[in-house]
Amino acid sequence: MENMKKIDIKTINGYKNKPREKQIEIAIGDNLWLFVTKKGSCIFRYRVYFTTNLTIDGKLKVIRNWITIGEYPAISLSRAKYETATFNNYKQQGINPIDKGSIEVINGVTISSLITDYETNQLKAVRKEGNSLRKAIYNLNYIRKILGNNLIADLKRVVIFEKLIQPKLNDILLAAARDIFTQMKVLLNYAVKLDYIETNPLSSFTINDINLPNGVVREGFETVGKERNRVLTEGELKIVLSDVYAAKIYLPIKIAIHLLLMLGCRKGELLNIKWSDIDFEQSLLSMSIDKVSKPLTTKIPSQALLLFKILQVVNGSKEYVFCMPSKKTRMAYTILNKWLTVLFVESKKLTQNLTVHDLRRTFATNLADLDYDRSHIEFQLGHSLSGSQKHYYHAEFLEQRGIMLQFWADKLDSYIPLEFHPYNKNYTRSAVCLKNE
């Protein structure tokens, strides 16, 4: 612990949001302390040293503990000093400050003020990308509008579900309901971190607990709430691939859907590919599965290589392979599911809805049915394997996976009518659609 006779706002700001190797505790005075965490959070705490009237082994029992007043800047230095004076006054009256705790502080914090604090000190640190950040802000504004005046200490799970979640489910907006649930859970975890509440009322619930009532479906959709096992049939594969390339939509969107089926990757993995991730000479592609794991190296089929070369005509001067015409940032995650819905659900060409993950599941199921080695399929999917297999790197089985993917790419080609084959054509740029010259 460090002792300081004086500490002011400038000093606190010097500690704020600056990571360090270990936490430090600084005595401000009158039992008020500033805790600076490893992540750079600055938290005011009151040190309790209270002698009770209880005697144990001939000695008066002394209570030593801490009361969290709150995190700066949601709780200002002057407010922290005010609360400290209040707790010291309790001690002079013979009242244990812990019995009072920081009830007055907590009871004065509303959801609206919590959101403001979260937006100021946390949001941009965890949501750095444009679309993700905009989505979070939208959800936070919705929560503020509905529950903004509610006190954090009084907020119950039933209120959250009735006021926030249920209206979205009533409108059969399952994705929106789950997004808001997730954002609310994150927000309440932040409240726990600040010691505004002891536990998160949503902690025992997951996104899978948010479902439409039994039997309620959107038109063209299977019943939601059950685990999806959607796998495209051979006939449906022909419809998807032929209709995608026949559609008058932006060519990179067509190619993205084709590559998702061909490589079995997640949409995030595909859309985050940069030109530096592709080795055209060796036909190698490096895809990041997450921020921690080693990238997945894949020997891509000749068709994938041709599709990437076509994309060079469109986005070769940009960092990301998949960008929209007038932007340098990568394509939004939502756009692929949007076009799958437009092309195949709203048009009623398929009897069930179609999502990006259904393409990945179709990839895995078909290769398993073709008797390819499970380990090769799992590595290509980027899954963690059990037993001794989990010690392999993703570069293992490179040649075997390459042969497997080439066979699958050839099979997919057989589902595309010759007049719609994208290979060996000349393309010209267009803001809406790329047409062959």
Side-chain angles (χ1 to χ4, degrees):
M1 293 187 178
E2 299 182 10
N3 291 310
M4 293 181 63
K5 292 183 179 180
K6 292 183 179 180
I7 189 168
D8 54 21
I9 299 300
K10 183 177 180 180
T11 305
I12 299 175
N13 287 332
Y15 289 118
K16 184 69 177 172
N17 294 329
K18 294 182 179 178
R20 58 185 57 254
E21 291 185 0
K22 62 180 182 178
Q23 176 176 285
I24 61 173
E25 298 94 31
I26 305 168
I28 297 176
D30 293 330
N31 298 313
L32 176 61
W33 289 71
L34 177 69
F35 280 53
V36 183
T37 68
K38 292 180 180 180
K39 293 183 178 180
S41 298
C42 295
I43 302 172
F44 295 114
R45 287 193 169 103
Y46 177 82
R47 187 176 187 180
V48 177
Y49 188 93
F50 182 75
T51 304
T52 69
N53 295 323
L54 297 176
T55 302
I56 299 177
D57 296 331
K59 297 181 180 180
L60 291 175
K61 180 181 179 181
V62 177
I63 296 176
R64 298 177 176 85
N65 210 328
W66 294 93
I67 295 175
T68 297
I69 297 175
E71 183 174 358
Y72 176 85
I75 298 297
S76 65
L77 176 59
S78 59
R79 179 61 186 270
K81 289 181 176 179
Y82 172 82
E83 296 299 331
T84 297
T86 302
F87 294 143
N88 286 333
N89 186 49
Y90 288 145
K91 286 179 61 177
Q92 293 174 4
Q93 297 177 43
I95 301 173
N96 182 0
I98 292 178
D99 293 338
K100 295 291 184 178
S102 53
I103 293 175
E104 293 180 10
V105 177
I106 293 173
N107 281 346
V109 178
T110 63
I111 294 296
S112 181
S113 59
L114 176 67
I115 292 174
T116 300
D117 181 8
Y118 179 79
E119 289 175 331
T120 302
N121 301 301
Q122 192 79 6
L123 181 58
K124 291 186 179 179
V126 297
R127 297 289 185 97
K128 295 181 179 180
E129 297 191 18
N131 289 324
S132 177
L133 182 61
R134 284 192 291 271
K135 186 176 183 180
I137 292 173
Y138 174 85
N139 289 331
L140 287 168
N141 286 337
Y142 175 79
I143 294 171
R144 181 187 277 116
K145 178 181 178 181
I146 304 299
L147 296 177
N149 294 327
N150 289 60
L151 298 176
I152 296 174
D154 296 336
L155 195 60
K156 306 298 181 185
R157 177 183 61 83
V158 64
V159 175
I160 296 171
F161 274 82
E162 286 182 355
K163 293 188 175 182
L164 277 184
I165 310 300
Q166 196 57 50
K168 296 296 182 183
L169 294 179
N170 290 343
D171 292 336
I172 321 182
L173 298 174
L174 179 62
R178 288 182 167 182
D179 284 345
I180 289 174
F181 164 82
T182 301
Q183 187 63 67
M184 189 67 195
K185 190 172 182 179
V186 169
L187 190 65
L188 291 175
N189 281 336
Y190 185 64
V192 173
K193 174 186 173 183
L194 298 181
D195 285 329
Y196 289 153
I197 50 179
E198 291 184 4
T199 59
N200 186 336
L202 299 179
S203 60
S204 61
F205 292 84
T206 69
I207 192 172
N208 293 324
D209 294 312
I210 310 300
N211 292 307
L212 295 172
N214 289 336
V216 176
V217 295
R218 295 183 68 178
E219 184 177 358
F221 281 64
E222 62 188 33
T223 303
V224 185
K226 298 180 180 179
E227 183 179 356
R228 288 183 61 83
N229 55 6
R230 177 100 161 91
V231 175
L232 293 174
T233 65
E234 184 173 312
E236 288 176 325
L237 278 171
K238 292 178 180 178
I239 292 173
V240 168
L241 288 168
S242 61
D243 283 21
V244 160
Y245 278 113
K248 296 297 182 180
I249 60 175
Y250 189 45
L251 182 63
I253 295 174
K254 303 180 183 184
I255 293 177
I257 294 171
H258 190 178
L259 287 174
L260 286 169
L261 263 173
M262 187 188 298
L263 304 178
C265 51
R266 301 174 179 88
K267 63 181 176 183
E269 296 165 2
L270 183 75
L271 297 183
N272 279 300
I273 293 175
K274 300 177 181 179
W275 290 112
S276 57
D277 296 325
I278 305 172
D279 183 340
F280 285 95
E281 291 185 2
Q282 301 295 325
S283 298
L284 295 177
L285 171 65
S286 178
M287 287 187 292
S288 297
I289 299 172
D290 52 47
K291 295 180 180 179
V292 179
S293 304
K294 291 189 175 182
L296 174 68
T297 302
T298 298
K299 190 172 183 63
I300 57 176
S302 58
Q303 292 91 331
L305 197 65
L306 286 171
L307 292 174
F308 282 125
K309 288 181 177 179
I310 292 171
L311 289 172
Q312 282 187 313
V313 176
V314 192
N315 295 323
S317 62
K318 301 176 183 178
E319 181 182 12
Y320 289 93
V321 173
F322 292 95
C323 299
M324 294 306 286
S326 59
K327 298 181 180 180
K328 292 185 178 181
T329 55
R330 63 149 177 81
M331 194 179 290
Y333 289 147
T334 56
I335 197 165
L336 298 180
N337 275 326
K338 170 191 171 182
W339 278 107
L340 288 176
T341 300
V342 170
L343 292 174
F344 303 110
V345 179
E346 293 179 0
S347 65
K348 298 184 179 180
K349 290 187 176 180
L350 297 180
T351 58
Q352 300 181 55
N353 72 314
L354 181 63
T355 68
V356 165
H357 201 74
D358 295 335
L359 306 181
R360 178 174 163 87
R361 192 181 301 107
T362 298
F363 167 89
T365 302
N366 274 270
L367 290 176
D369 290 343
L370 291 167
D371 290 329
Y372 279 100
D373 191 293
R374 172 182 172 273
S375 298
H376 303 168
I377 300 171
E378 292 295 322
F379 270 114
Q380 186 58 34
L381 292 170
H383 287 169
S384 298
L385 299 182
S386 58
S388 61
Q389 292 175 323
K390 67 183 179 182
H391 301 295
Y392 287 101
Y393 292 109
H394 290 301
E396 293 288 342
F397 308 131
L398 184 64
E399 293 301 324
Q400 296 95 320
R401 288 187 287 119
I403 294 170
M404 176 181 72
L405 291 177
Q406 186 60 62
F407 179 89
W408 177 239
D410 292 341
K411 190 173 181 64
L412 290 178
D413 274 358
S414 68
Y415 298 142
I416 308 174
L418 289 177
E419 63 266 29
F420 296 132
H421 265 225
Y423 320 114
N424 302 320
K425 294 182 180 180
N426 294 319
Y427 291 94
T428 181
R429 299 193 66 204
S430 168
V432 179
C433 177
L434 293 179
K435 303 176 182 178
N436 23 315
E437 295 178 327

